[in-house]
Amino acid sequence: MTDVGVLLKRWRGDRRLSQLALAGQAGVSARHLSFVETGRSRPTREMILRLAEELAVPLRARNALLLAGGYAPAYPEGDLDGPGLAAVLASLRAVLSGHEPCPAVLVDRHWTMIDGNAAVALLVAGAAPELLEPPVNVLRLSLHPNGMAPRILNLAEWRTHVLHRLDRQAQTTGDPVLRSLHDELLALPGGLTATVPDGLAVPLRFAAPGRELSFFSFTSVFGTPLDVTLAELAVESFLPADADTAEFLRAR
């Protein structure tokens, strides 16, 4: 097992903070932080959690830091199929239904689709059956040439947005699965753009039968989760970016 000091130093490096800056934020001396990172001093459970908070370490990784320091995990990891999270999952499914007629999906930390509302069928129509077999990765589905990609009219622009976002997520979480997914999707055809697009947000311009639709993506997460599973769930919804798309969705 990697020493907790090594892991903390790695997270500090990922956040591009000096020892002095982190020590100041956490209210400890830079000398003590140096001793922790080099293994000369064993941090308390409270110190690990305080540093993790200042470094914005995800809950799953905070548990890993505690284990590396010789302490029990602080955050439970619920089972979505278990009774403890049944009410939460039911509420999230109600949120998905509430987004209709706009497409919306519930995803986990690796962008695996947990559930989706009926309007998602509009976006995935025509995708290869193997891409729709559970577990469905929504990013792979969107950028794969046998998925949604042929119907995305601004594919290079959308790929740039998705890959940049995934790259930042992989860096922020330190999750090797996300890094592998980023590299896989980067290798798919479709191009990239070198410039930042005009406008308020990057739209998804999508070819529906006989018309072009335009969506903005919107992500909702739990504000103050104390459970690892809840912290890693997100609702990704696609809202109409123009009046014609809004009218089309209402008519459906």
Side-chain angles (χ1 to χ4, degrees):
M1 178 182 294
T2 305
D3 184 79
V4 64
V6 174
L7 293 176
L8 285 168
K9 182 178 181 179
R10 188 178 301 165
W11 279 108
R12 180 175 61 79
D14 288 343
R15 299 300 186 257
R16 300 182 179 180
L17 285 175
S18 67
Q19 282 186 345
L20 185 61
L22 177 58
Q25 291 176 203
V28 300
S29 71
R31 184 170 182 267
H32 181 55
L33 178 59
S34 175
F35 280 11
V36 168
E37 289 187 351
T38 57
R40 294 177 64 185
S41 178
R42 181 174 182 263
T44 64
R45 175 186 178 88
E46 291 71 23
M47 174 66 70
I48 293 173
L49 290 174
R50 189 190 314 170
L51 293 172
E53 178 69 22
E54 295 300 330
L55 291 168
V57 176
L59 299 191
R60 180 180 297 275
R62 294 187 195 194
N63 280 345
L65 285 171
L66 288 169
L67 287 170
Y71 303 104
Y75 303 97
E77 183 175 354
D79 182 358
L80 276 178
D81 295 324
L85 293 182
V88 174
L89 189 56
S91 295
L92 289 172
R93 284 175 169 148
V95 170
L96 295 179
S97 297
H99 275 83
E100 293 177 354
C102 300
V105 293
L106 175 65
V107 296
D108 67 11
R109 73 186 192 279
H110 294 146
W111 293 92
T112 302
M113 186 168 71
I114 306 300
D115 207 345
N117 64 14
V120 171
L122 171 68
L123 299 179
V124 303
E130 61 268 20
L131 292 174
L132 298 175
E133 283 289 329
V136 175
N137 184 279
V138 298
L139 297 189
R140 182 181 295 113
L141 175 63
S142 69
L143 298 186
H144 199 283
N146 295 329
M148 292 167 53
R151 297 173 64 192
I152 298 178
L153 301 176
N154 60 332
L155 180 57
E157 183 180 64
W158 186 251
R159 273 174 49 83
T160 302
H161 160 68
V162 169
L163 290 170
H164 176 69
R165 178 181 180 182
L166 183 57
D167 178 62
R168 292 190 62 182
Q169 186 182 2
Q171 182 176 353
T172 299
T173 62
D175 192 326
V177 175
L178 291 176
R179 178 56 61 196
S180 177
L181 178 63
H182 174 273
D183 294 343
E184 174 196 338
L185 300 183
L186 181 62
L188 295 176
L192 296 168
T193 58
T195 58
V196 177
D198 296 330
L200 299 175
V202 178
L204 172 65
R205 294 175 47 226
F206 195 75
R211 68 177 62 231
E212 175 185 329
L213 303 177
S214 184
F215 298 94
F216 289 137
S217 65
F218 184 83
T219 304
S220 305
V221 297
F222 281 89
T224 54
L226 295 177
D227 179 275
V228 173
T229 301
L230 293 186
E232 295 172 343
L233 293 179
V235 172
E236 188 84 0
S237 51
F238 293 86
L239 309 179
D242 56 41
D244 287 343
T245 300
E247 178 58 32
F248 175 81
L249 293 175
R250 283 193 295 266
R252 290 182 79 245

